[in-house]
Amino acid sequence: MEYGLRRYEAIQRLLWFLFFLICLGCAYVVMPPPPAASKLVSITRSFQPEILKSIDFWLDWRWIRMEPLGNLMTYLVWVAFVFLGGRLFGLIVQYGGNFYVRSLLAANIGKPEPNTRSPGPPSFSRKSEITLPVQLLMKKTNNIFLQIVFHPLRRLRVLLTNPQTTFSGEGLAEKERRLAETDWEILWSSWTPFRWLLRFLPMVGIVQTVWLLQLHIQPTVLGQKELQDLFGIAFNSLLPLFQAIFLTVVLSLSSGLLKRLESLYLSGVDALFYDRFLTKLPFQSSDTPILLETLQSNFQALHATLQRLEEALSGGRNLTGKGG
């Protein structure tokens, strides 16, 4: 594997790691302040039928924010929301980058510049440069800000960066295949922090429930509260776990939809480079330009030899005519 591909993979993984760190910071900033008092709500009020049937009762954040681990669960939920929102916004931006690269390739691939036309027949290397203007594309994509923001632009630059002197369709197709495999692998691994977060959230809810049960059942065991209140205390202690499980399911479904959209985007990028770029290249082997250049030089040498023979024969006929 070329070092350019390894560098591309390292940059992609670094950007996803920085994105997750930004999500952690943004979630801490946008998370609402803790309530003044995180106490268990009155059991008699909690078990009134009209309150239990209210949607506001179940969607109230005070349940999941109960001490001692309520703030941690709230922070994890906000991290998940910021992560999904950031990826959705980034996906929209990448679609714009895909459109930009598509228009760039459509405007330059196979279309020579006005100053590149010469009166004589161009060589095969020159025809290859006209078909694939590497220097022109590298110049138009030499923008650090656009390279950081747009993933298709980074992929195009890596594809055009060639340590050899001659480009070939075969070599570019192999390089594009490696880039495509790298992108799909990185796309899957970029969801690893989110998957761990969804696993950790219900675990924190279970610990919170056990803690609350121990905290509020102990007075009943010691005789400070009546036994009939035990069921209400247990119900209130389970409310944070119910909300954590509900949010985990919602976040899982949202991430599943977003993964499909990202897969659709990445398949579009693959189709862009394969169908609109690599299929327009005339050379399928790295040896083809060398062979064609050799055949062209041999043909030119043979043509020059035939011209000299024709000139010699015409000169001999002229001398014969004069002598007769």
Side-chain angles (χ1 to χ4, degrees), residues 13-49:
R13 295 186 183 277
L14 176 62
L15 290 177
W16 281 119
F17 179 72
L18 293 178
F19 170 74
F20 183 68
L21 293 181
I22 292 174
C23 290
L24 294 178
C26 292
Y28 182 79
V29 173
V30 301
M31 188 177 70
S38 300
K39 296 181 180 179
L40 206 62
V41 181
S42 174
I43 299 172
T44 57
R45 180 188 174 189
S46 301
F47 276 85
Q48 292 178 3

Side-chain angles (χ1 to χ4, degrees), residues 78-137:
W78 275 103
V79 171
F81 279 127
V82 173
F83 186 88
L84 293 178
R87 293 199 71 133
L88 179 60
F89 175 77
L91 182 61
I92 296 173
V93 172
Q94 297 309 321
Y95 269 108
N98 191 18
F99 177 77
Y100 172 75
V101 173
R102 177 177 299 181
S103 60
L104 189 66
L105 293 178
N108 294 279
I109 297 298
K111 297 181 179 180
E113 295 179 289
N115 57 357
T116 60
R117 298 176 181 176
S118 56
S123 63
F124 289 100
S125 299
R126 189 58 185 166
K127 287 182 179 179
S128 177
E129 178 62 26
I130 292 174
T131 306
L132 179 59
V134 177
Q135 299 299 327
L136 179 62
L137 288 174

Side-chain angles (χ1 to χ4, degrees), residues 11-12 15 138 141-151 153-154 157:
I11 291 176
Q12 291 291 101
L15 290 177
M138 294 292 284
T141 58
N142 192 20
N143 189 314
I144 302 298
F145 176 75
L146 293 181
Q147 292 178 32
I148 294 175
V149 174
F150 292 148
H151 158 256
L153 199 63
R154 293 195 300 271
R157 286 189 62 86

Side-chain angles (χ1 to χ4, degrees), residues 176-188:
E176 170 59 22
R177 183 187 65 82
R178 293 182 179 180
L179 286 171
E181 291 178 353
T182 301
D183 279 340
W184 282 99
E185 180 183 355
I186 292 175
L187 176 65
W188 171 256

Side-chain angles (χ1 to χ4, degrees), residues 217-288:
I217 290 178
Q218 186 177 7
T220 305
V221 175
L222 296 177
Q224 299 177 3
K225 291 185 178 181
E226 297 181 1
L227 188 60
Q228 60 185 5
D229 297 334
L230 183 61
F231 182 75
I233 294 174
F235 180 79
N236 273 334
S237 301
L238 288 172
L239 283 175
L241 178 60
F242 292 158
Q243 285 189 330
I245 294 176
F246 172 76
L247 289 173
T248 302
V249 173
V250 172
L251 293 172
S252 299
L253 294 176
S254 302
S255 64
L257 176 61
L258 193 54
K259 287 177 185 177
R260 272 54 180 187
L261 294 177
E262 288 182 341
S263 300
L264 181 63
Y265 153 75
L266 202 53
S267 63
V269 175
D270 295 340
L272 169 65
F273 284 102
Y274 275 111
D275 301 337
R276 297 179 177 269
F277 180 37
L278 296 179
T279 55
K280 295 184 178 182
L281 299 181
F283 302 132
Q284 297 300 322
S285 174
S286 58
D287 297 332
T288 304

